[in-house]
Amino acid sequence: MTRHLRPPSLPSARRPPRKEPRVGFVSLGCPKALVDSEQILTRLRAEGYGVAPSYAGADLVVVNTCGFIDAAVAESLDAIGEALAENGKVIVTGCLGAKDGGAFIREAHPRVLAVTGPHAAAEVMAAVHAQLPRPHDPFADLVPPQGVKLTPRHYAYLKISEGCNHRCTFCIIPALRGDLVSRPIGDVLGEAARLFAAGVKELLVISQDTSAYGVDVRYRTGFWDGRPIRTRMHELVTALDALARAHGAWVRLHYVYPYPHVDDVVARMTADPARAASSPISTCRSSTRARASSS
């Protein structure tokens, strides 16, 4: 008789219990809104969020609204009110969210955490991240929260946009990288927060034209930490300044060119005379671009 011996059992790493963040979802409106809901839910599941079947089991609720006719508006407002009453933490997206830049929803339901328009998966995810961060799980996540970096631990680059709208005769950048495309401000600030939390002490803001940040999206309102914030250089620098101070770090702005609003950024850099020598915000341009722009 052949005996199959079992190898000695090896001690295994036990996963610590972890509560999965759960998001409730109410989807209203037409099939196009339904596809928007599917895209948001896909991103939520891909990032490790669970989908709660009830208000009681959700850490927050997303309501995708419709604003096409009066009956749809009333149904959307009722759904938001019900979610607030049953859960209390509600993010609103969809067509009704675009009405009056979100003011219509906020006037009816001032307790909502964030409001976005339709086809705004990135903005919704930024609002979810601000209210319900997904904790890093070293057993499942192969990439650290701040991502894989090729720089030393104490500094990192933060790219806020790609491309450039200018057609300077000496510069090939638009031919290589295309027109200006600004990253959603919630994504930019989320990445900055993760980098600071990971120990970065010097954050280097880069792009082809930092001063033009948000021009391509007409300074669209995004969301960060549950609050609306415009996609514009001054607002970005203000938020980065607060993050840097909270972590004892500083921010260096590269490729800053003389747009009118840059004066406001300079004022922020010198707003604290007692700390002027160690202001969290400073500027730097590459010597190559600086020489070329002066020709």
Side-chain angles (χ1 to χ4, degrees), residues 47-63:
E47 293 190 14
Y49 291 92
V51 179
S54 66
Y55 292 125
D59 296 296
L60 62 81
V61 177
V62 177
V63 180

Side-chain angles (χ1 to χ4, degrees), residues 36-282:
D36 288 349
S37 296
E38 290 172 342
Q39 292 173 348
I40 294 169
L41 286 166
T42 298
R43 293 184 62 167
L44 286 168
R45 292 298 294 131
E47 293 190 14
Y49 291 92
V51 179
S54 66
Y55 292 125
D59 296 296
L60 62 81
V61 177
V62 177
V63 180
N64 192 0
T65 60
C66 178
F68 187 58
I69 59 176
D70 289 345
V73 171
E75 181 184 26
S76 294
L77 292 176
D78 288 346
I80 296 168
E82 180 180 82
L84 284 169
E86 297 293 331
N87 182 275
K89 301 182 69 175
V90 177
I91 294 169
V92 178
T93 188
C95 292
L96 192 59
K99 187 172 182 178
D100 299 330
F104 180 82
I105 294 291
R106 292 189 178 278
E107 183 176 351
H109 295 293
R111 292 170 51 212
V112 296
L113 300 174
V115 182
T116 81
H119 192 57
E123 288 84 350
V124 172
M125 292 304 299
V128 171
H129 293 156
Q131 298 296 329
L132 189 62
R134 183 175 70 92
H136 176 61
D137 183 351
F139 288 90
D141 298 335
L142 299 179
V143 178
Q146 72 275 18
V148 176
K149 297 298 173 185
L150 299 178
T151 51
R153 187 171 183 267
H154 67 281
Y155 77 88
Y157 292 99
L158 177 69
K159 184 161 67 171
I160 64 171
S161 65
E162 189 63 84
C164 182
N165 287 342
H166 297 293
R167 296 297 183 266
C168 302
T169 57
F170 56 77
C171 183
I172 196 176
I173 289 296
L176 298 177
R177 294 183 177 269
D179 290 333
L180 174 71
V181 179
S182 299
R183 290 179 60 193
I185 193 166
D187 289 357
V188 172
L189 292 173
E191 182 179 352
R194 291 190 296 273
L195 290 169
F196 284 134
V200 167
K201 293 302 180 184
E202 182 176 359
L203 192 64
L204 309 172
V205 175
I206 57 172
S207 65
Q208 272 70 55
D209 186 356
T210 296
S211 304
Y213 178 67
V215 168
D216 57 311
V217 294
R218 299 183 180 182
Y219 306 122
R220 179 174 59 203
T221 298
F223 294 90
W224 162 245
D225 200 21
R227 297 187 299 272
I229 179 171
R230 296 189 72 184
T231 308
R232 189 167 56 179
M233 181 188 182
H234 182 262
E235 283 81 349
L236 174 65
V237 169
T238 300
L240 288 175
D241 176 66
L243 283 171
R245 290 179 186 271
H247 290 85
W250 66 309
V251 178
R252 187 184 297 274
L253 306 175
H254 289 249
Y255 307 104
V256 175
Y257 296 100
Y259 288 60
H261 58 262
V262 173
D263 290 345
D264 296 331
V265 176
V266 174
R268 170 155 295 280
M269 293 168 62
T270 59
D272 188 352
R275 297 183 59 183
S278 59
S279 173
I281 303 290
S282 69

